[in-house]
Amino acid sequence: MKLPASTEWVLHCATALAQLEPGVSASAGQLAEYFDLPLPYLAKQLKALVKAGLLTASTGPKGGFRLARAASEITLLQIVEAVDGAASPYECREIRSQGRGALPQEECRTPCILAAKMGEAHRAWRRTLREVSLADILADLPPHAPERTRRRLS
């Protein structure tokens, strides 16, 4: 499965925001500079996280983005789906009923084994991401990482 680069961006940005002190925000510009990302496109992705209820946004001199809920309540799956959607990356086009090797229609009434296995893989991927929260990610960061992130984002 190949996801767009913006998926990596929002996962890292959400993790960075989760490292900030409660009530502290970071602007899209700060996050873009921190990760050396294009600001207009990153801002669009961050707005998708706001729309999904994962981040809040405020305006003004101290405005910016912050988590909308506790890090323990935001999963990697929610972040990924906010920007990439929930559709399976595999689309069965039922080619087994085409060409010289075409099977009879009665043998194509149920999904083929390949579509079934790809569906299983997609469900396992989603289950894994659903079981990992931002708090879990923070727990696995090196002890110095949150303070470094806070310093560099301020």
Side-chain angles (χ1 to χ4, degrees):
M1 172 179 308
K2 184 172 175 72
L3 296 170
S6 58
T7 304
E8 178 185 9
W9 302 356
V10 295
L11 288 166
H12 278 282
C13 287
T15 300
L17 293 171
Q19 294 173 68
L20 299 178
E21 296 291 342
V24 175
S25 299
S27 70
Q30 287 172 303
L31 291 164
E33 184 179 337
Y34 186 78
F35 292 112
D36 193 25
L37 300 172
L39 175 58
Y41 195 59
L42 176 63
K44 178 181 172 186
Q45 301 306 313
L46 293 171
K47 287 177 185 174
L49 296 182
V50 171
K51 185 177 179 184
L54 303 174
L55 299 181
T56 60
S58 57
T59 57
K62 297 225 181 216
F65 296 92
R66 72 181 109 191
L67 299 185
R69 348 188 247 273
S72 61
E73 297 174 14
I74 299 174
T75 68
L76 297 187
L77 181 64
Q78 291 169 322
I79 296 168
V80 170
E81 287 186 345
V83 294
D84 295 320
S88 173
Y90 182 80
E91 182 182 337
C92 180
R93 292 180 176 77
E94 203 54 76
I95 66 168
R96 64 187 173 155
S97 64
Q98 303 170 29
R100 288 183 57 196
L103 295 173
Q105 285 297 335
E106 59 272 6
E107 291 184 37
C108 298
R109 290 198 178 115
T110 59
C112 73
I113 188 64
L114 296 172
K117 292 299 180 187
M118 294 302 284
E120 285 176 25
H122 182 65
R123 287 187 295 278
W125 179 79
R126 290 173 48 81
R127 184 173 46 254
T128 298
L129 294 181
R130 186 181 302 112
E131 292 171 357
V132 180
S133 71
L134 282 177
D136 297 325
I137 297 300
L138 295 181
D140 286 341
L141 291 177
H144 66 278
E147 179 56 35
R148 178 184 181 273
T149 299
R150 287 191 287 271
R151 255 192 346 268
R152 295 203 175 173
L153 275 175
S154 59

